Amino acid sequence: MKETTVEHKLKHLFALQQVDSQLQEVQDLKGDLPMIVTDLETKVTEMQARLKELNGSIKQSKIDRDNADMEIVDLAGKIEKFKSQQLNVKSNKQYDALTREIEAAEERTLKLEEQMESFEGKMEIAKKDIEALTVQLEESTAELNERRKELHELNKEHEKEELKLQHEREKLLARIDKSDLARYERIKKAKGGIAIVPIKRGACGGCFNRVPPQKILEIRQNANFFACEHCGRLLVSDHIVEMSLAI
Ligand SMILES: [Zn+2]
């Protein structure tokens, strides 16, 4: 029997489906691992950023605390000076003015001491956070390295097979019309990766709904494309299946 154009198209599309299904199987074998690695990478990066932020906040709190400390020392000197001036003043007015200065300096000192305490507290909390985060970061980094190694092994294991399948795919693509390919890809995307199926025991090999006997006869002629009435996948005869194996 002379090979018709539709026959030629169908057998290449069916062969493409076999290759694509095998590629999908390889992806399935890798499972969640690629996603787990990506998630861990994000987690580790975020932890590192948080650590940097905490270290920066400790540095700033230290500067703020030291500034407050220096101002307190400065104020103590002033208070001492005012007190010694009070011993030599001539009027009550002058004495009271110095008293007010002293009170103001003491008030400011109290406030600064409170601030120092709060800066110290902030540093303590940040230090504890850093300790906890460092432990978590070490754990996550170790897990990431482990998972990366696993993924690398898995990729290496399937690399040859994937390359072979990709190569077969490219060879087939060169022999398939663009519009047929577009149709195939459209159905494949909509139907869980399966676009073209054989008829099995009088039923669609995709959705398992019955295909009318008259239609099966027509499909066997390979004169036209036929889609399953129920799922829309392309249907092929056993003859096409056999021929596609021979490609
Ligand atoms: Zn179907």
Side-chain angles (χ1 to χ4, degrees), residues 211-242:
V211 181
Q214 179 56 36
K215 203 168 179 185
I216 294 177
L217 288 178
E218 284 177 53
I219 290 166
R220 283 198 186 131
Q221 311 272 316
N222 296 321
N224 274 308
F225 277 38
F226 285 96
C228 168
E229 288 168 24
H230 303 276
C231 69
R233 294 184 179 95
L234 295 172
L235 293 167
V236 293
S237 63
D238 291 344
H239 180 55
I240 295 290
V241 174
E242 276 165 34

Side-chain angles (χ1 to χ4, degrees), residues 16-189:
L16 181 65
Q17 178 70 72
Q18 304 319 298
V19 169
D20 282 349
S21 294
Q22 286 176 65
L23 277 168
Q24 187 55 51
E25 268 174 38
V26 174
Q27 287 310 313
D28 291 348
L29 275 175
K30 290 183 191 174
D32 294 339
L33 200 50
M35 213 179 70
I36 290 171
V37 168
T38 310
D39 285 352
L40 278 168
E41 279 168 350
T42 308
K43 197 171 158 190
V44 165
T45 308
E46 280 170 0
M47 281 180 180
Q48 284 165 337
R50 177 79 186 124
L51 265 183
K52 208 174 155 188
E53 203 182 289
L54 285 169
N55 277 311
S57 104
I58 286 188
K59 229 178 189 172
Q60 189 55 50
S61 293
K62 216 171 175 180
I63 292 170
D64 292 342
R65 183 203 61 190
D66 289 350
N67 284 339
D69 197 23
M70 276 194 304
E71 202 183 332
I72 288 171
V73 172
D74 190 44
L75 284 168
K78 277 180 185 162
I79 289 168
E80 214 171 300
K81 199 180 84 191
F82 294 146
K83 280 184 178 166
S84 69
Q85 281 173 354
Q86 272 184 330
L87 299 176
N88 301 315
V89 290
K90 309 247 165 6
S91 68
N92 279 344
K93 208 176 155 191
Q94 279 177 318
Y95 189 91
D96 290 344
L98 284 166
T99 301
R100 280 195 296 276
E101 292 280 8
I102 290 166
E103 278 169 2
E106 280 171 348
E107 211 173 292
R108 174 80 185 139
T109 301
L110 272 177
K111 208 170 171 196
L112 285 167
E113 279 168 356
E114 271 171 28
Q115 279 179 9
M116 273 183 76
E117 246 173 68
S118 134
F119 292 137
E120 299 271 2
K122 259 167 104 175
M123 280 195 284
E124 273 313 303
I125 290 169
K127 273 179 193 164
K128 275 188 184 132
D129 286 350
I130 285 174
E131 270 172 38
L133 200 57
T134 303
V135 175
Q136 283 175 31
L137 180 61
E138 272 170 23
E139 282 171 4
S140 291
T141 304
E143 199 190 340
L144 174 60
N145 290 337
E146 191 60 37
R147 295 296 199 158
R148 268 185 181 152
K149 218 171 102 190
E150 271 176 45
L151 184 60
H152 180 74
E153 292 296 317
L154 206 54
N155 282 337
K156 221 168 69 185
E157 198 179 308
H158 297 290
E159 201 179 22
K160 265 189 194 151
E161 198 187 348
E162 272 185 295
L163 279 174
K164 191 182 126 243
L165 288 167
Q166 288 293 356
H167 182 64
E168 276 177 39
R169 190 170 206 275
E170 272 158 38
K171 270 195 335 202
L172 286 168
L173 289 187
R175 299 161 80 175
I176 294 172
D177 279 352
K178 276 211 170 80
S179 61
D180 291 340
L181 181 66
R183 183 175 182 180
Y184 166 85
E185 293 289 1
R186 201 170 53 239
I187 303 172
K188 194 176 98 172
K189 201 176 163 195

